[in-house]
Amino acid sequence: RVYDGAFGDMAVSSASSPQGGGSGFLRRFLHAAQPAWTAAQLDAVEEKLRRVGVTSVTRLLAALRSRSRLNRKLRAGGEKCFVPATLQALEQHAEVVRDRRELRTFLRSAQPEWAPRDLKAVETKLRNIGIGSVGLLLSALFPAGRKRRGLNTLLKEANEKAFSSGTLEALRQQAAAPPPR
């Protein structure tokens, strides 16, 4: 297996997924984007992507940066292109993955001492209150208007543990930090 970093992507592995022949994270990405696909359809799509060098979620995300790029790559490799609805589903799920990566990087920068399991727990509790991106986190950290509720209020309303004042301050300081170059 080849570890690919921020989101835990791995290149195609021999590990089987519950849906069939399996290539780990790429297969789960495809299934999340197109949950109606059968195991056989997932196998066929994975194989088609593999033949054009798309063997990980990271490579798929790169190929999806431009709507036509993935289909150009498939066409050049003699493969059948994706229909617009499939491309749209893949692109939408890619955006979710990019948002999660960005959020994880933000959280890790704000609290570098968090262990991986702590970071995962924070991401889960944020998703439980509908926060899956840095933008949504910032709007909860800096609520505007009387009707907007802050991050800890949202957590408490969802029966989640609130952040300590130190964690909230670290998140706010990270929000004020200049973006990395």
Side-chain angles (χ1 to χ4, degrees):
R1 292 182 182 192
V2 179
Y3 184 71
D4 198 70
F7 193 64
D9 299 345
M10 291 187 183
V12 176
S13 72
S14 59
S16 291
S17 78
Q19 266 71 45
S23 50
F25 288 105
L26 179 59
R27 185 177 194 89
R28 286 192 293 242
F29 178 97
L30 294 169
H31 188 258
Q34 290 286 50
W37 279 350
T38 65
Q41 289 170 313
L42 286 166
D43 289 342
V45 170
E46 279 186 291
E47 181 58 26
K48 171 167 65 172
L49 291 171
R50 186 197 58 75
R51 286 194 294 264
V52 297
V54 178
T55 57
S56 70
V57 173
T58 299
R59 288 184 179 174
L60 181 58
L61 293 177
L64 287 168
R65 291 210 186 275
S66 159
R67 178 166 272 253
S68 59
R69 185 174 178 193
L70 181 58
N71 273 348
R72 279 196 313 266
K73 191 175 190 99
L74 290 167
R75 194 176 300 110
E79 299 294 332
K80 186 177 173 186
C81 294
F82 288 114
V83 298
T86 299
L87 274 178
Q88 183 177 8
L90 292 171
E91 289 166 347
Q92 286 174 342
H93 192 61
E95 190 61 34
V96 169
V97 169
R98 286 186 194 106
D99 285 348
R100 286 181 183 171
R101 282 181 171 179
E102 183 180 274
L103 180 60
R104 176 170 284 183
T105 299
F106 180 91
L107 294 169
R108 204 180 270 144
S109 296
Q111 292 287 46
E113 70 280 359
W114 278 344
R117 75 178 189 290
D118 299 326
L119 187 59
K120 186 170 179 67
V122 168
E123 290 172 313
T124 299
K125 82 177 177 178
L126 290 174
R127 270 196 307 276
N128 287 345
I129 61 169
I131 295 177
S133 69
V134 172
L136 291 172
L137 176 60
L138 294 180
S139 67
L141 275 172
F142 303 103
R146 284 192 276 171
K147 300 223 183 227
R148 300 280 313 259
R149 297 180 315 268
L151 182 57
N152 274 348
T153 301
L154 294 169
L155 288 167
K156 289 174 189 174
E157 288 173 354
N159 294 318
E160 294 284 353
K161 184 178 177 189
F163 287 114
S164 70
S165 59
T167 296
L168 288 175
E169 183 57 30
L171 293 171
R172 288 185 181 113
Q173 285 179 359
Q174 181 60 32
R181 291 193 174 226

